[in-house]
Amino acid sequence: MARMKFLCDVERCIECHACVTACKNEHEVPWGVNRRRVIVMDDGQPGEKAISVACMHCSDAPCAAVCPVDCFYQTADGIVLHDKDLCIGCGYCFYACPFGAPQYPQQTAFGVRGKMDKCTFCAGGPEEPHSEAELTKYGTNRIAEGKLPLCAEMCATKALLAGDGDVIANIYRKRVMRRGGRPQSWGWQAAYGQNV
Amino acid sequence: MTFSDKTVAKRRWRAMLYSLLAIIALAMILPSLGYVAAWAQSGPMVIGYESRDSNPRADMWRDARQSVAGTTDQSGPYTTNVLINNSGEIWREIRSGREGVPSPLKRFGGWIMLLSLAAIAVFFAVFGRNKIEGGREGLTVPRWTMYERVLHWFVAITFIVLGITGLSLLFGRTVLIPVLGARGFAAYAQVAMTVHNFVGPAFGVALVLMIISWLGVNIPKRVDLEWLKTFGGYFGGGHAPSEKLNGGEKLWYWIGVVGLGLAVVITGFILDFPNFGQDRATMALAHVIHAGAAMFWIALFFGHAYMGTLGTEGALEGMTTGRVDTAWAKQHHNLWYAQLLEQGVKPMPAEPPRGGPPPSAKSVTGSST
Ligand code: HEM
Ligand code: SF4
Ligand code: SF4
């Protein structure tokens, strides 16, 4: 069985935001929610780097550990999904997540947030695949069609890799070998407890 | 070896040592001349890009790992520009533990509340109810005004509501999901969270009013120390003098209501109003203090509620009717009772003589006639 992972090759990311736009459009993501973000480190300084980040689908996911209603589950492919019918919008997964992946449509007084929304690795949710309910709550289900996440597919420089962890790690390793320099599988330590 | 041989050897050692030091010093100084020369040409060197002291790439990844913020164009209430947020991992371990590591928060809180209940049960089994010695006298004096009683019961009821809803969120996954099922518990938790978030601020306002209203009668005095030394004679053996509130009650006021109360209320406000934009690390810290202090407070509250009801005969009616029996007053708060009499308060029969209610507490307390 594959173990799905994301890897952002920061030597290639050109901060074009295509992944962010592709995701928002594909899943009709709620207003104010960004399942994927591009973060620029040292903006305008030597060594500036842009990094695309979303839910990393952690092993031993912190969000799942803290959720008071236990609404997270992990698919056989290692994709971390949640049930919006159970979610009470408490914000705990947002406190716990290393990557700031869980987002909410609101942020108002008395802790009213609405249902948590996050990247599904284009794998929908606990509803019937391709049903109206799944589409409105979680977005499309590309995994059920045998396709990989749209953000990575849309990436013009192929900086963003999505798929079986072993396969994308191999692609990345070959790139680093060809171009030299040190590998930087950023976030893998925090998400999967390991480096490439 | 003769004596002079020894001094020669010593001198030789010293010479060797000094030349070694000289070599080391020169080895360090001479290359620095290059730096001085360069400095003379171009001014002080900029530490950073061209000096190899720090590598911007390595610095950037270190920053990313240490929760240093970058910039992002994505907008929305919860978007953040931090790549890796480390406070989350720490908070997760404290609140929920991980495989093989039980949550310290749940352990501490659960045990302290259970131990408190167990201690009270043992105390009750050993010492039983603190009865009014010699029975009631049938005369009452005013103790708590209507305002004080309404405030007390508002705080007490909301305290219990907040305690139950809060603990449901913390322990529900282990205790309630097996009973209610995932769907049932989610519906319950949604109500619990909403009630907790809306009742909390009301409780906070009432608590602050309570702290202000009862500050005057809770000033610590020397007699309170004496009361605490004998625990008010609860373990048998005489009575300690007490004012309107005894040493134990004042401890409950200062540690429970003021200390833990303010801690719970302030952190509660931080958690309840994310619209002010406080970050995740602040909220996670506020959560741990909030839940920890609340459970400690509940453990103390068990003791308070026991003392007010089962533990002490004649105490509860002071908080419900506003009046207490004179026998209870003499036994538990002799200094206060004496003061009341001095002020000219006349004990009234407990049963209203001809159907009329006993005079309201408000009209008599505090005013000396
Ligand atoms: C249902 C549970 C409770 C019961 C049965 C109860 C009972 C009582 C009684 C009988 C008194 C009067 C004691 C006397 O006459 O000397 C009292 C006083 C007091 N209660 Fe409660 N109470 C409860 C809950 C609470 C809660 C939740 C709080 C605050 C969070 C609280 C705070 C106080 C304070 C501050 C006093 C004033 C005496 C002192 O400073 O120690 N009570 N309570
Ligand atoms: S990245 Fe965040 S939301 Fe995604 S699995 Fe990990 S902890 Fe959960
Ligand atoms: S916001 Fe929803 S998904 Fe996140 S921890 Fe709370 S209940 Fe669980």
Side-chain angles (χ1 to χ4, degrees), chain A residues 13-136:
Chain A
C13 178
I14 55 168
E15 199 198 340
C16 72
H17 294 90
C19 48
V20 178
T21 314
C23 173
K24 272 199 86 94
N25 187 56
E26 171 76 0
H27 301 298
E28 305 281 0
V29 175
W31 182 254
V33 172
N34 294 282
R35 291 186 178 178
R36 182 166 281 288
R37 291 160 289 145
V38 175
I39 292 174
V40 183
M41 297 298 286
D42 295 339
D43 194 12
Q45 279 161 30
E48 166 183 321
K49 285 280 178 288
I51 303 145
S52 175
V53 54
C55 171
M56 295 287 273
H57 302 277
C58 307
S59 332
D60 189 17
C63 55
V66 298
C67 178
V69 297
D70 201 8
C71 78
F72 290 87
Y73 62 101
Q74 200 158 19
T75 68
D77 296 328
I79 300 170
V80 177
L81 299 176
H82 74 293
D83 190 336
K84 281 197 182 183
D85 292 345
L86 301 183
C87 171
I88 59 171
C90 65
Y92 288 179
C93 51
F94 173 67
Y95 306 159
C97 172
F99 306 103
Q103 308 260 310
Y104 306 82
Q106 287 161 273
Q107 182 180 44
T108 34
F110 302 102
V112 176
R113 297 179 168 85
K115 304 276 181 191
M116 187 274 274
D117 189 277
K118 74 168 190 69
C119 157
T120 64
F121 210 82
C122 291
E127 303 287 347
E128 182 66 28
H130 311 307
S131 64
E132 189 57 32
E134 187 186 53
L135 186 67
T136 48

Side-chain angles (χ1 to χ4, degrees), chain A residues 10-11 15 17 20 31-34 36-43 46-49 51 53 60-70 83 85-90 92-100 102-113 115 182-184 186-187 190, chain B residues 49 55-61 63-65 68-89 91-92 95-99 168-170 172-173 177 182-183 185-187 189-190 193 197-198 201 271-278 280 283-284 287:
Chain A
V10 290
E11 302 302 323
E15 199 198 340
H17 294 90
V20 178
W31 182 254
V33 172
N34 294 282
R36 182 166 281 288
R37 291 160 289 145
V38 175
I39 292 174
V40 183
M41 297 298 286
D42 295 339
D43 194 12
E48 166 183 321
K49 285 280 178 288
I51 303 145
V53 54
D60 189 17
C63 55
V66 298
C67 178
V69 297
D70 201 8
D83 190 336
D85 292 345
L86 301 183
C87 171
I88 59 171
C90 65
Y92 288 179
C93 51
F94 173 67
Y95 306 159
C97 172
F99 306 103
Q103 308 260 310
Y104 306 82
Q106 287 161 273
Q107 182 180 44
T108 34
F110 302 102
V112 176
R113 297 179 168 85
K115 304 276 181 191
R182 256 184 271 166
Q184 180 56 59
W186 96 271
Chain B
Y49 198 40
N55 169 348
R57 196 181 127 96
D59 286 351
M60 190 216 89
W61 286 117
D63 286 353
R65 278 192 302 274
V68 173
T71 8
T72 183
D73 288 336
Q74 273 67 63
S75 63
Y78 279 85
T79 307
T80 85
N81 51 357
V82 173
L83 276 172
I84 299 183
N85 162 45
N86 293 304
S87 66
E89 272 297 278
W91 179 68
R92 170 246 168 109
R95 195 201 106 108
S96 305
R98 56 168 67 245
E99 191 82 29
S168 298
L169 293 178
L170 185 56
R173 209 167 134 167
I177 290 184
R183 210 147 284 274
F185 176 67
Q190 183 69 260
M193 188 194 74
N197 288 357
F198 280 86
L271 291 165
D272 210 17
F273 293 91
N275 45 310
F276 291 116
Q278 55 276 44
R280 287 168 286 176
M283 313 250 306
H287 171 275

Side-chain angles (χ1 to χ4, degrees), chain B residues 9-43:
Chain B
K10 228 187 214 166
R11 208 175 291 145
R12 218 176 272 149
W13 267 110
R14 210 174 288 152
M16 252 159 79
L17 198 73
Y18 281 138
S19 39
L20 208 69
L21 282 178
I23 290 167
I24 291 170
L26 281 176
M28 287 194 312
I29 291 164
L30 280 177
S32 329
L33 288 178
Y35 178 88
V36 175
W39 188 81
Q41 277 168 15
S42 60

Side-chain angles (χ1 to χ4, degrees), chain B residues 143-144 152-153 155-157 159-160 203 207 210 214 218 244-245 248-253 257 297 301 304-309 315-319 324 328 333:
Chain B
R143 182 158 171 85
W144 302 107
H152 174 267
W153 292 115
V155 168
I157 291 166
F159 179 97
I160 292 165
F203 171 81
L207 190 83
M210 180 184 258
W214 285 343
N218 276 291
K244 181 164 186 179
L245 294 173
E249 288 172 315
K250 287 181 184 176
L251 266 191
W252 165 238
Y253 174 87
V257 180
W297 196 13
F301 157 73
H304 169 73
Y306 166 77
M307 283 298 180
T309 53
L316 185 60
E317 59 209 50
M319 236 348 135
V324 289
W328 181 88
H333 299 278

Side-chain angles (χ1 to χ4, degrees), chain B residues 85-307:
Chain B
N85 162 45
N86 293 304
S87 66
E89 272 297 278
I90 303 165
W91 179 68
R92 170 246 168 109
E93 293 207 351
I94 294 175
R95 195 201 106 108
S96 305
R98 56 168 67 245
E99 191 82 29
V101 186
S103 145
L105 186 66
K106 289 188 198 174
R107 269 208 157 175
F108 156 81
W111 275 115
I112 203 152
M113 289 187 294
L114 288 178
L115 283 178
S116 166
L117 284 179
I120 290 165
V122 169
F123 187 85
F124 183 63
V126 175
F127 296 101
R129 189 155 206 221
N130 193 337
K131 293 245 167 59
I132 299 181
E133 276 162 22
R136 290 167 192 271
E137 288 173 353
L139 291 176
T140 60
V141 282
R143 182 158 171 85
W144 302 107
T145 65
M146 182 56 106
Y147 164 74
E148 286 170 316
R149 281 176 283 149
V150 169
L151 189 61
H152 174 267
W153 292 115
F154 181 82
V155 168
I157 291 166
T158 50
F159 179 97
I160 292 165
V161 168
L162 290 164
I164 292 172
T165 52
L167 293 179
S168 298
L169 293 178
L170 185 56
F171 292 99
R173 209 167 134 167
T174 13
V175 179
L176 292 176
I177 290 184
V179 183
L180 301 174
R183 210 147 284 274
F185 176 67
Y188 169 92
Q190 183 69 260
V191 174
M193 188 194 74
T194 310
V195 167
H196 197 89
N197 288 357
F198 280 86
V199 170
F203 171 81
V205 171
L207 190 83
V208 170
L209 286 179
M210 180 184 258
I211 289 174
I212 296 168
S213 314
W214 285 343
L215 180 65
V217 285
N218 276 291
I219 307 292
K221 306 251 173 74
R222 165 146 271 139
V223 288
D224 301 323
L225 260 183
E226 263 138 51
W227 189 96
L228 286 173
K229 266 187 213 146
T230 56
F231 195 63
Y234 266 89
F235 293 115
H239 285 290
S242 163
E243 301 188 279
K244 181 164 186 179
L245 294 173
N246 61 42
E249 288 172 315
K250 287 181 184 176
L251 266 191
W252 165 238
Y253 174 87
W254 286 108
I255 297 177
V257 180
V258 177
L260 296 168
L262 286 183
V264 168
V265 166
I266 291 168
T267 52
F269 271 100
I270 293 174
L271 291 165
D272 210 17
F273 293 91
N275 45 310
F276 291 116
Q278 55 276 44
D279 61 13
R280 287 168 286 176
T282 311
M283 313 250 306
L285 180 66
H287 171 275
V288 173
I289 296 172
H290 185 78
M295 288 188 287
F296 196 57
W297 196 13
I298 290 171
L300 293 185
F301 157 73
F302 286 148
H304 169 73
Y306 166 77
M307 283 298 180

